[in-house]
Amino acid sequence: MSTVRLLNDDELSPQAREVFADIRATRQSDVVNNFWRALAHDPVTLKRTWESVKAVMGPGALDPKVKEMIYIAVSVAHGCPYCIHSHTAGARAKGMTDAEYAELVAVIGMASETNRLVTALGVPIDAAFEVS
Amino acid sequence: MSTVRLLNDDELSPQAREVFADIRATRQSDVVNNFWRALAHDPVTLKRTWESVKAVMGPGALDPKVKEMIYIAVSVAHGCPYCIHSHTAGARAKGMTDAEYAELVAVIGMASETNRLVTALGVPIDAAFEVS
Amino acid sequence: MSTVRLLNDDELSPQAREVFADIRATRQSDVVNNFWRALAHDPVTLKRTWESVKAVMGPGALDPKVKEMIYIAVSVAHGCPYCIHSHTAGARAKGMTDAEYAELVAVIGMASETNRLVTALGVPIDAAFEVS
Amino acid sequence: MSTVRLLNDDELSPQAREVFADIRATRQSDVVNNFWRALAHDPVTLKRTWESVKAVMGPGALDPKVKEMIYIAVSVAHGCPYCIHSHTAGARAKGMTDAEYAELVAVIGMASETNRLVTALGVPIDAAFEVS
Amino acid sequence: MSTVRLLNDDELSPQAREVFADIRATRQSDVVNNFWRALAHDPVTLKRTWESVKAVMGPGALDPKVKEMIYIAVSVAHGCPYCIHSHTAGARAKGMTDAEYAELVAVIGMASETNRLVTALGVPIDAAFEVS
Amino acid sequence: MSTVRLLNDDELSPQAREVFADIRATRQSDVVNNFWRALAHDPVTLKRTWESVKAVMGPGALDPKVKEMIYIAVSVAHGCPYCIHSHTAGARAKGMTDAEYAELVAVIGMASETNRLVTALGVPIDAAFEVS
């Protein structure tokens, strides 16, 4: 089930090959997962996307594990099973415990419920929540 | 813009009054925001929702600030402006810095982009991401 | 806030005028709400949409009030405030009681929560739920 | 395809075991479907979710069959195949006929179309639809 | 995985048979894809949907290939793998090149990212974008 | 209604000032719309987003007007009124006619309807639509 063939290492263009090398170096792993193999048909988007992901998910003010959990939350709300599976694996690899995962799932469920209650009722934003 | 009138304190049923008292006691604030005033027409759902929110968002394995940030992520992906405003205010009240907020927003944007790239391409889940 | 001007009765093309006449006759009301006034720029889509709505929402196996409630549920999950407001008004006009409305909202919230729990966990479909 | 293993009856914690017993007693069936087996890793969320589902979906102002149909509508708009399959089976078990199912599907489709037409055109809410 | 059985040609009602004949004549192909075989249980919705699709996707101001690409964009944002696969095949059959497909996917990803950035930040609409 | 203040030109950091200058030069207009003024609090995301938008939406295999129409389609399905308004204005500025706009809106509506019909029925992907 895919709209493009996944490319193996022998089929990459020179530009895609460079991106794959950087993925392997950055992650210190030989595995390049299917997302990049599907995206490799378009080396320009491959390169732009990888560089953005590397910049956004790298060290910063937030714990990388927390970033993965936020990624999971967005992926669940967007209904992307691939993304949920890959970032759940990623969060676990970065130390997410079973207890943290259970709370993450509970918060996602709770937010989904109140999001839709608010939308159904058309609740107007409290003045106190406005910035300007 | 709402499908029900927001109830003020004088219009509450006895059961809704009890929930409002617990909201005020738990949050140590006299303010009860519009969401609860819209939900107060149905004291059963008001009570169940408040007790669930209190349990899920309370102390646990995850930092309460992180829980608010996950809540924001879900609310953005679901397109709920009220929820985004209230939980962004909540996260700030719990200590979210400008730098953390900027990274949260960047991760939400990044996840949204790759979620849709994955979905467009129909990428199959890597065997390594499967639990069983 | 709209991307096209709402047309008033004097600005309608002859084909749009006919559709408006049928809306008024079918609903036995002189009011033609904003949706149709925005759609009237394109008489072909106006006519096709009105005839589809009339056919789908008319008498059948399901109570028209129940159809309006299903419409609300979809509109909430899609985040369409206009649609939520118009069909909540429609359901009330067709007899939806406050108690029924409260249960509708509760079911929408509950479904939203379990939808996202299921998606987060990637639950496989039970064989018993498969038709073939 | 799941992010957690489905637990069988022998692997349940005592609290999860109690919830499963209540599911069986309430539904008068020995089957406990996969959703609960995935959720059983977190007995707190399992218990809270089951009690909420039992309360919301139980007898009330709306016909239980209608509640299942609303659940299907939300699940379709959220794109949750598991939920669609389980609640379609549930609605049929509660008496939904083929004719009712056909109308449900047609209303969901219709609502989806007009939801997006309204959103594309940015139609402003008619004053008549406002509650306050 | 489906909630209704796919009907084969021998199982069609007379009305469904007529629609299938028109699908084959219009597309000049003997293949009738699964969507129509699932919808054939309800000949009324089958007929209305087919006639709408035929009218909307037929010749007009926009290139039919562009219409297929817009269809893909909507289907990705709604998370419908079937629709993505069928309309990607359709766009290719109507001449979409690999370069055009790569740009389509990039635009979908980009729009998804900025959509959520805008939503997270609650950006107010510029007066210049308002029509009236 | 926003979660951050919109920055005016006098409040920009030097890096944000550079991005604004490039927006003005690229678009050959003095106007910098609200999206960039909200994003300007985070110059890193501002710069990355602007450069991605410039690259993705610039000249290529697809007509820039078509890219704007795809952007609108995604924005409608994601429910982002700001994005819909800004890209509808953008498409018109790039030559989208009223007839093209009417067809765009009709295709978006049609796709939304069949997306949800397919999802409700759980239609399996035809083998002919699979790439590998």
Side-chain angles (χ1 to χ4, degrees):
Chain A
M1 193 191 92
S2 64
T3 64
V4 293
R5 258 189 348 95
L6 302 178
L7 297 187
N8 62 46
D9 288 3
D10 295 341
E11 299 170 304
L12 302 173
S13 67
Q15 310 95 300
R17 199 178 305 274
E18 268 182 47
V19 175
F20 273 43
D22 192 42
I23 292 174
R24 287 182 161 116
T26 304
R27 297 187 165 172
Q28 300 187 286
S29 159
D30 197 48
V31 178
V32 176
N33 53 297
N34 290 345
F35 173 49
W36 308 108
R37 295 185 182 282
L39 213 53
H41 289 273
D42 177 1
V44 172
T45 299
L46 173 69
K47 185 176 167 60
R48 186 173 49 74
T49 305
W50 165 246
E51 302 213 325
S52 292
V53 166
K54 192 168 60 164
V56 169
M57 299 303 281
L62 291 174
D63 179 351
K65 180 182 70 182
V66 167
K67 288 188 182 179
E68 291 289 350
M69 294 171 82
I70 293 165
Y71 222 106
I72 294 169
V74 172
S75 302
V76 170
H78 282 151
C80 179
Y82 182 90
C83 315
I84 295 165
H85 279 76
S86 65
H87 289 280
T88 300
R92 282 177 174 146
K94 288 177 181 164
M96 179 178 69
T97 65
D98 285 352
E100 289 172 332
Y101 180 59
E103 290 194 13
L104 167 66
V105 170
V107 173
I108 292 171
M110 193 74 244
S112 301
E113 181 166 30
T114 62
N115 282 184
R116 297 321 195 190
L117 293 177
V118 162
T119 301
L121 300 171
V123 185
I125 298 178
D126 294 72
F129 297 151
E130 299 280 2
V131 161
S132 59
Chain B
M1 192 190 90
S2 64
T3 64
V4 292
R5 258 189 347 97
L6 302 178
L7 296 187
N8 60 47
D9 289 2
D10 295 341
E11 299 170 304
L12 301 173
S13 68
Q15 308 96 302
R17 201 177 303 274
E18 269 182 47
V19 175
F20 273 43
D22 192 42
I23 293 173
R24 288 183 161 115
T26 304
R27 297 187 164 170
Q28 300 187 287
S29 159
D30 197 49
V31 178
V32 176
N33 54 296
N34 290 345
F35 174 48
W36 307 109
R37 295 185 181 283
L39 214 53
H41 290 273
D42 177 2
V44 172
T45 298
L46 173 69
K47 184 177 167 61
R48 186 173 51 74
T49 305
W50 164 246
E51 302 214 325
S52 292
V53 166
K54 191 168 59 164
V56 169
M57 299 303 281
L62 291 174
D63 179 350
K65 180 182 69 182
V66 167
K67 289 188 182 179
E68 291 289 350
M69 294 171 81
I70 293 165
Y71 222 107
I72 293 169
V74 172
S75 302
V76 170
H78 282 151
C80 179
Y82 182 90
C83 315
I84 295 165
H85 279 77
S86 64
H87 289 280
T88 299
R92 283 176 175 146
K94 288 177 181 165
M96 178 178 69
T97 65
D98 285 351
E100 288 172 333
Y101 180 60
E103 290 194 13
L104 168 65
V105 170
V107 173
I108 292 171
M110 193 75 245
S112 301
E113 180 166 30
T114 62
N115 283 183
R116 298 320 194 192
L117 293 176
V118 162
T119 300
L121 300 170
V123 185
I125 298 178
D126 295 72
F129 298 150
E130 298 279 3
V131 160
S132 57
Chain C
M1 192 190 91
S2 65
T3 65
V4 292
R5 256 187 351 94
L6 302 179
L7 297 187
N8 61 48
D9 288 2
D10 295 341
E11 299 170 303
L12 301 174
S13 67
Q15 309 98 301
R17 200 177 304 274
E18 270 182 46
V19 175
F20 273 43
D22 193 42
I23 292 173
R24 288 184 161 114
T26 304
R27 296 188 165 169
Q28 300 186 285
S29 159
D30 198 50
V31 178
V32 176
N33 54 297
N34 290 345
F35 174 48
W36 308 109
R37 295 185 181 282
L39 214 52
H41 290 273
D42 177 2
V44 173
T45 298
L46 172 69
K47 185 175 166 61
R48 186 173 49 74
T49 304
W50 165 246
E51 302 214 325
S52 293
V53 165
K54 192 168 57 164
V56 169
M57 299 304 281
L62 292 174
D63 179 350
K65 180 182 71 182
V66 166
K67 289 188 182 179
E68 291 289 350
M69 294 171 82
I70 293 165
Y71 223 108
I72 294 169
V74 172
S75 302
V76 169
H78 282 152
C80 179
Y82 182 89
C83 315
I84 295 164
H85 279 76
S86 64
H87 290 280
T88 299
R92 283 177 175 145
K94 288 177 182 164
M96 178 178 69
T97 64
D98 285 352
E100 288 171 333
Y101 180 60
E103 289 195 14
L104 167 66
V105 170
V107 173
I108 292 171
M110 193 74 244
S112 301
E113 180 165 32
T114 62
N115 282 183
R116 296 324 193 188
L117 293 176
V118 162
T119 301
L121 300 171
V123 185
I125 298 177
D126 295 72
F129 298 150
E130 298 280 2
V131 161
S132 58
Chain D
M1 192 192 89
S2 63
T3 65
V4 293
R5 258 188 348 95
L6 301 179
L7 297 187
N8 61 46
D9 288 3
D10 296 340
E11 298 170 304
L12 301 173
S13 67
Q15 308 97 301
R17 200 177 305 273
E18 270 182 47
V19 175
F20 273 43
D22 192 44
I23 292 174
R24 288 182 161 115
T26 304
R27 297 187 166 171
Q28 299 187 287
S29 159
D30 197 48
V31 177
V32 176
N33 54 297
N34 289 345
F35 173 49
W36 307 109
R37 296 184 181 283
L39 214 52
H41 289 273
D42 177 2
V44 172
T45 298
L46 173 68
K47 185 177 167 59
R48 186 172 50 75
T49 305
W50 164 246
E51 303 214 324
S52 292
V53 166
K54 192 168 58 164
V56 169
M57 299 302 282
L62 292 173
D63 180 350
K65 180 181 70 180
V66 168
K67 289 187 181 179
E68 291 289 350
M69 294 171 82
I70 294 166
Y71 222 108
I72 293 169
V74 172
S75 302
V76 169
H78 282 151
C80 179
Y82 181 89
C83 315
I84 295 165
H85 279 76
S86 64
H87 290 280
T88 300
R92 284 177 174 145
K94 289 178 182 164
M96 178 177 69
T97 64
D98 284 352
E100 288 171 332
Y101 180 60
E103 290 195 13
L104 167 66
V105 170
V107 174
I108 293 171
M110 194 74 244
S112 301
E113 181 165 31
T114 62
N115 283 181
R116 296 324 194 190
L117 293 176
V118 163
T119 301
L121 300 171
V123 185
I125 299 178
D126 295 72
F129 298 151
E130 298 280 2
V131 161
S132 58
Chain E
M1 192 190 89
S2 64
T3 64
V4 293
R5 257 188 349 95
L6 301 178
L7 296 187
N8 60 48
D9 289 2
D10 296 341
E11 299 170 304
L12 301 174
S13 67
Q15 309 97 299
R17 200 177 306 273
E18 269 182 48
V19 175
F20 273 43
D22 193 43
I23 293 173
R24 288 185 162 113
T26 304
R27 296 187 164 170
Q28 300 187 287
S29 160
D30 198 49
V31 177
V32 177
N33 54 296
N34 290 344
F35 173 49
W36 307 110
R37 296 184 182 284
L39 214 52
H41 290 274
D42 177 2
V44 173
T45 299
L46 173 68
K47 185 175 166 62
R48 186 173 50 75
T49 305
W50 165 246
E51 303 214 324
S52 293
V53 165
K54 193 169 58 164
V56 169
M57 299 303 281
L62 292 174
D63 180 350
K65 180 182 71 182
V66 167
K67 289 188 182 179
E68 291 289 351
M69 294 170 83
I70 293 165
Y71 222 108
I72 294 169
V74 173
S75 302
V76 170
H78 282 152
C80 179
Y82 182 90
C83 316
I84 295 165
H85 279 76
S86 64
H87 290 279
T88 300
R92 284 176 174 145
K94 289 178 181 164
M96 178 178 70
T97 65
D98 285 352
E100 289 171 333
Y101 180 59
E103 290 194 14
L104 167 66
V105 170
V107 174
I108 292 171
M110 193 74 244
S112 302
E113 180 165 30
T114 62
N115 282 183
R116 297 322 194 190
L117 293 177
V118 162
T119 301
L121 299 171
V123 185
I125 298 177
D126 295 72
F129 297 151
E130 299 280 3
V131 161
S132 58
Chain F
M1 193 191 90
S2 64
T3 65
V4 293
R5 260 191 342 98
L6 302 178
L7 296 187
N8 60 47
D9 289 3
D10 296 341
E11 299 170 304
L12 301 174
S13 67
Q15 309 98 299
R17 199 177 304 273
E18 271 183 45
V19 175
F20 273 42
D22 192 42
I23 293 174
R24 288 182 161 115
T26 304
R27 298 188 164 171
Q28 300 186 286
S29 159
D30 197 49
V31 177
V32 176
N33 54 296
N34 290 345
F35 173 48
W36 308 109
R37 296 185 182 283
L39 214 52
H41 289 273
D42 177 3
V44 173
T45 298
L46 172 68
K47 184 176 168 60
R48 186 172 50 74
T49 304
W50 164 246
E51 302 214 324
S52 293
V53 166
K54 192 168 58 164
V56 169
M57 299 302 281
L62 292 174
D63 180 350
K65 180 182 70 182
V66 167
K67 289 188 182 179
E68 292 288 350
M69 294 170 82
I70 293 165
Y71 223 107
I72 294 169
V74 173
S75 303
V76 170
H78 282 152
C80 179
Y82 182 89
C83 314
I84 295 164
H85 279 76
S86 64
H87 289 279
T88 299
R92 284 177 174 146
K94 289 177 181 164
M96 179 178 68
T97 65
D98 285 352
E100 289 171 332
Y101 180 59
E103 290 195 14
L104 167 67
V105 170
V107 174
I108 292 171
M110 193 74 245
S112 301
E113 180 165 31
T114 62
N115 282 182
R116 297 323 195 191
L117 293 176
V118 162
T119 301
L121 300 171
V123 185
I125 298 177
D126 294 72
F129 297 151
E130 298 279 2
V131 161
S132 60

